[in-house]
């Protein structure tokens, strides 16, 4: 008594991913199931749980269904007369004629007669809906194989027809709903193509806001402020694109487009998000990422705790990032190891000679390193600005939107850039550089606004401003602070300002460090192909532009942060003779002790990009795998430093060079070991490595211990309940089965009699699966406990990152030491690969005029690729001692293609290599350090800048005459006129 076969019925859904407003605005959207997070009771919307394991979204659910067998004396439940519905493919018509279906014994003859004209057929205009009503009216269907096949064919016909009807209905429904998108205007109401149009914003009419569903409102509030950005909207385990963005995805990448929640939609799985972001960025699009801040289950728990009615609100979502080519921070999206700069620039006029002053601020978002500088009284040719742009090669340039009419009263730089400045920018920057125009003061903050915004944002948590930033703020002409304001404003729009600025990595930048280094200005860097091949400037990739450069020649680094440091070294070769010899001593030591060089190589090669990882940890957006890699990398650095010191102690006859000894002394071994031990003791490494979750040790985190105790109690109850059911149902083989989002289903043989209160969830011919009322409630509690556990672990991860971030300065000290060791090893590898003959340059320490002497000198980049051998040259310039009065100039003549320009370039490259601390490709080399290298090489015009070949030559020569000293090396090629085969005259 009291036992009956479990009644098949649909449970009240415990968890459903879609927002309630989605289903209110589009009934078919209720079928979507976009969240694979564990949660029980996640019954598919708009379908009855069937007695099979089939879960095909496109199948017609329960269109053919027999009542379950019942016990003797009990009546089977009556089938519902209401017509069933199709998932995704549309609905069955609710009206139309119906006919009594033949019995199974007729073997399909009656149905065949219907199709052969002996019975009334539905008209073609009904699109099969009336015929399908005959099958869904509640009558028993035939069971013969032929009729089953006929039924399947009719179902397919109805699905296709219903999809067609649905598409037509969607088009009609939304013909006026989004008509305003046919006349796109910005937030100020300015149409596309009209003066002043802002492509970043979109005007949404008030009438449209009134028609939007809550989800549409949530979407358009974000999208209307980022109309020029492709917005990926997180829904469950998918990132979805809507309307115009969906069309872009469909046209560019053939993403399947459909209609949902009144809008066109295309989507990509969460797991492939990084891949698709990279694809969109490569096509020149900006990408915004809108994430769910909670799961649907967490939303329900939040609403229940706050007393709100369940289903009233939306899943909380937030714009978490806007990705642009110059501000990428995710390691999976970064294409190379070198820094990618986003630069902000303001200009103010100075005097009447066409000169200008500039405020410049730029950031490498991947490392959160800011630099700022003020260029005072640059000349009319913008020489200092050109040098800076060549050194940085910025990927994005942020500037003030304006007419460009900078006059003397525009001292704050808020009037835009002059045409002369634009010509330099366009001629120097690559064709792939993006330019971002911001409205003066409102979007591009001036100095007073920047000061106020920085103080209000409290980026430095009440601490003093970084010294470099404070000096910019205290400057009488705070152009650099205005540039910082424009940069921070732009980063704020990308949701990056706090994560980057709060590290307080602000430093001064000098385009030409004249006091301590060999000055290489913009023309020298370009004509000598130091950083990039000037002929490939434009659409060539960074790797293509670096091939054949001086930097590529010396770049044998093993770590990403070492490579970035070596590029800075290449821009600023040394000038102090003692510092140059100290580097050369390290190079000679590593060449003489290959075992030490190989051991250093083995230690450096596996290191990750620790510098970028530290920045991500500070921002709290670091993957667990990357966090573990940073910890292991720092530990490896500690062991490497100890091994180097041990090697030196074991071989007193071969002491370490002073430069390496000083670096090892600066390495914070003891402090770093203590910091790593403190962090490693806080979490269990096993689940962190295997599952990608940071889990505290038992007793290490009170909230985690509490939820674990709750889960243990629930699991114990589940075990006891299973034992009880085995006894009560007299079924020793009863087990729990986890079926998708409905775990802990009690599986028993199909013939087992269970209480009528049991809820049947799924079944096969052999078994049936149930939830008892108590089991259902407990599974719900377990799902909520797991959700709480996930939230607790997220909080623990955030706290652990903050705990490690306290040691940021300490870790960066270690990284800087390792980067310098990597650069020194790279110079040694480059010296070994220089070919024969090569030598260590002799650096003269005695003060005096400039002197260079090279015997059998070859071009370091051209000689290895010369097909028929390279002709070496001897070059001697200047006086070695004060008593000599040797020639300080050479007049070089010769026919075309005779190698004149090559000789000039190889001399300059040899000087750069020598002062960089590298061996040079010559038999012997002697020089007194050069303070500045000037080049006027090759006939080139600058049509973009409006300057002829002759004008370019005269401008560069004028700069040489103004700035050259007796210690400068000047190279002039084809000044005023070219040479020919017959008259080799300069």
């Amino acid at each position: 008594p009291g036992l009956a076969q479990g009644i098949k019925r649909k449970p009240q859904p415990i968890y459903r991913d879609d927002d309630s407003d989605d289903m209110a605005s589009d009934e078919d959207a209720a079928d979507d199931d976009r969240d694979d997070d564990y949660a029980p009771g996640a019954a598919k919307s708009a379908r009855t749980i069937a007695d099979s394991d089939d879960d095909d979204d496109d199948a017609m659910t329960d269109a053919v269904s027999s009542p379950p067998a019942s016990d003797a004396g009990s009546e089977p439940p009556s089938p519902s007369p209401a017509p069933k519905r199709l998932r995704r493919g549309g609905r069955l018509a609710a009206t139309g004629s119906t006919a009594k279906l033949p019995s199974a014994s007729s073997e399909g003859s009656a149905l065949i007669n219907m199709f052969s004209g002996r019975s009334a057929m539905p008209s073609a205009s009904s699109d099969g809906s009336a015929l399908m009503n005959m099958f869904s009216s509640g009558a028993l269907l035939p069971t013969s194989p032929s009729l089953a096949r006929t039924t399947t064919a009719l179902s397919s016909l109805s699905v296709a027809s219903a999809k067609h009807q649905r598409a037509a209905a969607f088009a009609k429904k939304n013909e006026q709903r989004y008509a305003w998108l046919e006349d796109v205007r910005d937030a100020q109401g300015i149409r596309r193509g009209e003066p002043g149009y802002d492509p970043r914003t979109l005007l949404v009419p008030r009438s449209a806001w009134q028609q939007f569903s809550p989800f549409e409102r949530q979407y358009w509030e974000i999208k209307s402020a980022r109309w020029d950005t492709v917005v990926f909207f997180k829904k469950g385990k998918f990132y979805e694109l809507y309307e115009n963005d969906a069309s872009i995805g469909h046209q560019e990448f053939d993403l399947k487009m459909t209609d949902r929640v009144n809008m066109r939609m295309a989507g990509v799985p969460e797991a492939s998000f990084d891949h698709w972001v990279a694809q969109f960025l490569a096509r020149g699009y900006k990408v915004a990422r809108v994430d769910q801040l909670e799961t649907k289950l967490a939303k329900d728990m939040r609403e229940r705790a706050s007393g709100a009615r369940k289903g009233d609100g939306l899943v909380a979502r937030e714009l978490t990032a806007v990705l642009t080519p110059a501000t990428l921070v995710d390691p999976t999206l970064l294409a190379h190891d070198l820094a990618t700069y986003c630069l902000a620039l303001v200009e103010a006029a100075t005097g009447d000679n066409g000169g200008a002053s500039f405020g410049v601020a730029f950031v490498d978002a991947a490392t959160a390193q800011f630099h700022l500088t003020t260029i005072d009284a640059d000349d009319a040719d913008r020489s200092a600005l050109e040098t800076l742009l060549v050194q940085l090669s910025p990927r994005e340039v942020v500037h003030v939107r304006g007419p460009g009419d900078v006059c003397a009263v525009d001292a704050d730089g808020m009037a835009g850039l002059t045409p002369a400045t634009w010509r330099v920018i366009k001629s120097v920057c690559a064709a792939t550089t993006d330019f971002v125009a911001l409205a003066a003061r409102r979007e591009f903050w001036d100095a007073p606004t920047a000061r106020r915004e920085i103080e209000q944002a409290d980026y430095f948590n009440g601490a003093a401003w970084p010294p470099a930033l404070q000096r910019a703020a205290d400057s009488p002409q705070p152009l650099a602070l205005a540039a910082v304001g424009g940069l921070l404003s732009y980063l704020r729009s990308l949701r990056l300002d706090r994560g980057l600025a709060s590290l307080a990595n602000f430093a001064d930048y000098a385009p030409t460090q004249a006091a301590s280094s060999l000055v290489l200005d913009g023309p020298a860097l370009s004509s000598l192909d130091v950083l990039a091949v000037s002929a490939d400037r434009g659409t060539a990739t960074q790797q293509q532009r670096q091939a054949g450069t001086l930097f590529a020649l010396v770049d044998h680094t093993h770590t990403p942060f070492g490579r970035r440091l070596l590029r800075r070294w290449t821009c600023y070769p040394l000038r102090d003779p003692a510092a140059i010899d100290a580097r050369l001593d390290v190079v000679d030591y590593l060449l003489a002790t290959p075992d030490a060089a190989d051991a250093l190589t083995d230690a450096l090669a596996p290191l990750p990009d620790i510098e970028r990882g530290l920045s991500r940890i500070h921002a709290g957006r670091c993957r667990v795998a990357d966090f573990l890699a940073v910890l292991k990398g720092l530990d490896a650095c500690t062991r490497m430093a100890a091994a180097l010191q041990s090697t030196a102690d074991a071989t007193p006859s071969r002491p370490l060079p002073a430069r390496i000894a000083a670096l090892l002394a600066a390495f914070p071994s003891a402090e770093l070991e203590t910091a790593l031990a403190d962090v490693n003791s806080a979490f269990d490494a096993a689940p962190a490595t295997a599952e990608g979750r940071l889990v505290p040790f038992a007793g290490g985190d009170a909230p985690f211990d509490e939820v674990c105790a709750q889960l243990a109690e629930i699991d114990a109850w589940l075990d006891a309940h299973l034992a009880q059911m085995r006894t009560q149902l007299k079924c020793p083989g009863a087990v729990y089965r986890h079926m998708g989002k409905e775990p802990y289903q009690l599986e028993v043989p199909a013939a087992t009699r269970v209480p009528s209160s049991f809820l049947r969830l799924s079944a096969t011919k052999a078994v049936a699966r149930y939830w008892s009322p108590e089991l259902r409630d407990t599974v719900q509690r377990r799902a909520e406990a797991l959700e709480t556990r996930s939230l607790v672990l997220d909080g623990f991860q955030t706290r652990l990152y903050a705990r490690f971030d306290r040691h940021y300065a300490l870790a960066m000290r270690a990284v800087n030491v390792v980067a310098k060791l990597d650069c020194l090893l790279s110079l040694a590898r480059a010296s070994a690969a220089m070919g024969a003959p090569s030598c260590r340059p002799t650096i003269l320490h005695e003060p005096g005029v400039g002197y260079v002497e090279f015997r059998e000198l070859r071009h370091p980049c051209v000689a290895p690729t010369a097909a028929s051998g390279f002709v070496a040259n001897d070059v001697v310039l200047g006086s070695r001692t004060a008593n000599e009065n040797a020639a300080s100039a050479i007049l070089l003549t010769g026919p075309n293609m005779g190698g004149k320009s090559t000789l000039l370039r190889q001399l300059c490259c040899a000087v750069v290599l020598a002062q960089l601390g590298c061996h040079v490709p010559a038999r012997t080399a002697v020089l007194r350090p050069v303070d500045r290298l000037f080049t006027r090489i090759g006939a080139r015009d600058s049509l973009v800048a409006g300057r002829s070949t002759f004008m370019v030559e005269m401008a560069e020569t004028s700069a040489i005459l103004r700035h050259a000293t007796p210690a400068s090396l000047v190279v002039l090629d084809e000044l005023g006129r070219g040479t020919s085969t017959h008259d080799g005259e300069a």
Side-chain angles (χ1 to χ4, degrees), residues 432 536 538-547:
T432 54
D536 291 337
T539 58
T541 64
Q542 187 172 40
Q543 289 76 9
Q544 291 170 337
R545 294 176 60 196
Q546 288 176 0

Side-chain angles (χ1 to χ4, degrees), residues 85 233 334 348 506 775 978 983:
R85 296 186 174 182
F233 223 73
L334 294 167
F506 288 81
L775 180 58
D983 58 355

Side-chain angles (χ1 to χ4, degrees), residues 434-452:
D434 295 330
F435 297 94
V436 181
L438 302 180
R441 297 179 179 85
R442 178 169 57 87
E443 295 175 325
F444 197 115
W445 304 330
D446 58 6
T449 305
R451 180 191 294 272
R452 183 175 63 253

Side-chain angles (χ1 to χ4, degrees), residues 23-184:
M23 292 170 281
S25 59
D26 186 347
E27 188 173 352
D28 289 323
D31 295 337
D32 188 38
D33 191 6
R34 296 271 179 178
D35 198 335
D36 291 336
D37 292 339
Y38 165 74
K44 302 295 183 183
S45 302
R47 78 173 175 93
T48 303
I49 297 180
D51 291 347
S52 69
D53 294 331
D54 182 23
D55 192 24
D56 184 1
D57 282 355
D58 292 328
M60 183 174 66
T61 57
D62 285 358
V64 181
S65 172
S66 299
S70 59
D71 297 330
S74 64
E75 295 182 0
S78 301
S80 172
K84 306 298 179 181
R85 296 186 174 182
L86 290 174
R87 287 173 48 81
R88 298 187 184 273
R91 304 177 181 85
L92 297 178
T95 61
S97 61
T98 58
K100 185 177 181 180
L101 296 179
S103 64
S105 61
S106 66
E107 298 293 341
S109 59
L111 186 61
I112 294 174
N113 286 339
M114 292 169 55
F115 284 90
S116 61
R118 300 173 190 173
S119 297
M121 275 288 293
S123 64
S125 62
S126 66
D127 291 326
S129 59
L131 182 61
M132 287 308 301
N133 266 340
M134 296 161 56
F135 286 87
S136 60
S137 60
L140 295 177
L141 288 176
T143 58
S144 72
S146 62
L147 290 183
R149 288 192 297 271
T150 304
T151 303
T152 302
L154 290 174
S155 299
S156 300
L157 173 65
S158 179
V159 167
S161 176
K163 286 182 177 179
H164 176 74
Q165 292 179 359
R166 183 185 182 196
F170 175 81
K172 182 178 180 180
K173 177 181 179 182
N174 291 277
E175 182 177 359
Q176 297 300 325
R177 189 181 185 91
Y178 285 103
W180 49 274
L181 285 177
E182 299 297 326
D183 183 22
V184 173

Side-chain angles (χ1 to χ4, degrees), residues 220-293:
W220 285 109
E221 284 174 352
I222 296 174
K223 179 61 181 176
S224 61
R226 289 162 182 83
W227 180 241
D228 64 339
T229 303
V230 176
V231 178
F232 280 83
F233 223 73
K234 179 74 176 295
K235 293 199 72 179
K237 292 298 183 181
F238 282 76
Y239 280 95
E240 298 183 349
L241 306 172
Y242 297 103
E243 281 301 318
N244 189 57
D245 296 342
S247 299
I248 292 174
H250 178 67
Q251 294 167 3
E252 295 278 7
F253 307 106
D254 199 27
L255 296 178
K256 183 179 179 181
M257 189 164 60
T258 183
D259 56 271
R260 290 184 52 77
V261 292
N262 300 317
M263 295 184 285
R264 292 169 292 167
M265 184 275 288
V268 299
E270 180 185 20
S272 61
F273 173 75
D274 290 341
H275 165 77
W276 288 109
V277 167
Q279 298 298 314
F280 276 88
L281 290 174
R283 297 288 179 93
Y285 295 99
K286 292 191 296 184
V287 175
R289 176 174 180 165
V290 179
D291 282 316
Q292 288 184 188
L293 303 183

